[in-house]
């Protein structure tokens, strides 16, 4: 039998010719939350280098403008949209802004839900305010950003969503109960939305890093050397991640090379979860 013949009741088919998948993001508008610093800024800079147009999202306009200028200096294009991701009305305005840009320039939409809140506290000491704050930022905001931007993507028949989970979504440690729950929720939400929205052309994936060295994590680790050593001991590759370790996976998930991937959480953790 050759491709194109029918057998055993299967429809005829023809194998497509092989082409090296593209890791370029030309023709895409990437909406990146938490883009003012750390991992989010690294994603923005990498996506710009890969050819994406950017809509940078954070609560602080002054810092977003710094990122915008840096991207422009490197030859990229970015706009800013000051948004508090826990405010659903502001997320709706963000979606409208993204749709306006994408429609005007015939761009495909990509959403990167990077905004999040780190949290470590013994379970017996967690207050209701603590719990609500972590769940609101890490899980509730992720869901409603997906909902608002996902509707735009579904109407257009195409979209990519990348949610930021964590290696803590599949592992645990003392003091991480609420944070683990929030990130496990992100990963399961990712799978659920992928199953629901796949028929609409919307792919939803998650990226799960281990401890990643940013200004904020450096301050935290420096203040607690014992905990820093404990975390490092769980990483088989023998070092913490840096934001540059994550951008390759993010560009992959946002681009054509990941066309047949949805519903998965990609662990970029130096082997943490395997150990």
């Amino acid at each position: 039998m050759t491709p194109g013949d029918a057998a055993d009741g299967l429809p005829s088919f023809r194998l497509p010719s092989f082409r090296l998948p593209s890791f370029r993001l030309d023709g895409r508008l990437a909406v990146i939350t938490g883009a003012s610093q750390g991992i989010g800024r690294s994603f923005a800079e990498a996506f710009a280098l890969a050819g994406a147009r950017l809509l940078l999202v954070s609560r602080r306009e002054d810092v977003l403008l710094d990122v915008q200028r840096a991207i422009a200096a490197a030859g990229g294009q970015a706009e800013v949209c000051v948004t508090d991701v826990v405010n659903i009305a502001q997320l709706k305005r963000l979606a409208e802004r993204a749709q306006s840009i994408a429609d005007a320039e015939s761009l495909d939409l990509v959403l990167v839900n990077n905004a999040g809140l780190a949290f470590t506290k013994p379970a017996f000491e967690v207050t209701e305010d603590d719990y609500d704050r972590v769940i609101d930022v890490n899980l509730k905001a992720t869901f409603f950003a997906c909902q608002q931007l996902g509707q735009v993507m579904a109407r257009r028949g195409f979209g990519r969503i990348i949610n930021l989970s964590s290696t803590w979504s599949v592992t645990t440690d003392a003091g991480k109960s609420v944070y683990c729950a929030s990130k496990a929720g992100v990963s399961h939400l990712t799978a659920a939305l992928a199953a629901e929205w796949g028929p609409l052309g919307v792919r939803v994936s998650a990226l799960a890093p281990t401890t990643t060295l940013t200004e904020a994590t450096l301050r935290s680790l420096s203040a607690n050397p014992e905990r820093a050593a404990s975390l490092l001991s769980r990483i088989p590759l023998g070092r913490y991640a840096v934001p540059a370790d994550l951008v390759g996976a993010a560009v992959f998930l946002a681009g054509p090379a990941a066309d047949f991937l949805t519903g998965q959480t990609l662990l970029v953790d130096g082997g943490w979860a395997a150990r």
Side-chain angles (χ1 to χ4, degrees):
M1 187 185 82
T2 60
D5 295 335
D8 299 327
L10 295 174
S12 62
F13 70 96
R14 187 171 298 279
L15 291 173
S17 59
F18 174 79
R19 292 184 302 168
L20 186 66
S22 173
F23 287 80
R24 294 287 301 173
L25 300 180
D26 304 283
R28 303 202 169 182
L29 173 66
V31 181
I32 303 177
T33 70
S36 61
Q37 60 186 346
I39 295 171
R41 177 168 182 161
S42 293
F43 284 163
E45 292 172 344
F47 279 36
L49 289 173
R53 176 78 180 274
L54 299 173
L55 184 54
L56 308 173
V57 181
S58 178
R59 291 178 298 173
R60 292 186 55 190
E61 184 176 30
D62 58 332
V63 187
L64 283 179
L65 291 173
D66 286 342
V67 180
Q68 181 189 39
R69 284 189 286 268
I71 288 171
Q77 291 183 286
E79 296 188 31
V80 304
C81 186
V82 177
T83 303
D84 184 346
V85 294
V86 301
N87 185 310
I88 297 173
Q90 291 186 29
L91 288 175
K92 183 176 181 179
R93 288 196 292 271
L94 171 64
E96 292 169 349
R97 175 84 175 277
Q99 180 174 2
S100 176
I101 297 170
D103 287 349
E105 303 186 28
S106 299
L107 301 173
D108 290 328
L109 275 172
V110 177
L111 168 64
V112 182
N113 275 314
N114 169 75
L117 179 67
F119 184 77
T120 303
K121 195 172 189 178
F124 285 142
E125 299 175 13
V126 172
T127 66
E128 184 176 5
D129 285 343
D130 290 334
Y131 183 92
D132 288 345
R133 184 164 54 96
V134 174
I135 297 300
D136 281 354
V137 175
N138 291 353
L139 185 54
K140 179 180 176 181
T142 295
F143 172 79
F144 282 103
C146 287
Q147 181 196 67
Q148 294 300 315
L149 272 295
Q151 291 179 77
V152 179
M153 296 174 184
R155 287 194 294 268
R156 303 169 101 246
F158 181 87
R160 292 287 175 85
I161 297 174
I162 304 170
N163 295 323
L164 259 290
S165 182
S166 167
T167 194
W168 291 116
S169 68
V170 293
T171 60
T172 62
D173 197 11
K176 302 303 294 187
S177 59
V178 177
Y179 186 78
C180 286
S182 72
K183 291 301 185 177
V186 167
S187 287
H188 207 62
L189 172 66
T190 295
L193 294 179
E196 184 173 340
W197 294 348
L200 305 176
V202 180
R203 295 157 178 82
V204 189
S205 302
L207 184 60
T210 186
T211 303
T212 303
L213 297 181
T214 63
E215 290 184 6
T217 54
L218 279 170
R219 288 194 298 270
S220 175
L221 294 174
S222 297
N224 193 339
E226 184 178 345
R227 177 162 179 77
S230 174
L231 294 174
L232 183 60
S233 72
R234 298 179 67 164
I235 305 174
L237 290 186
R239 65 173 177 85
Y240 303 112
V242 295
D245 291 318
L246 311 180
V247 298
V251 169
F252 162 66
L253 291 174
D259 271 351
F260 203 61
L261 191 156
T262 193
Q264 301 301 309
T265 294
L266 179 58
L267 292 159
V268 185
D269 66 352
W272 173 298
R275 172 169 284 178

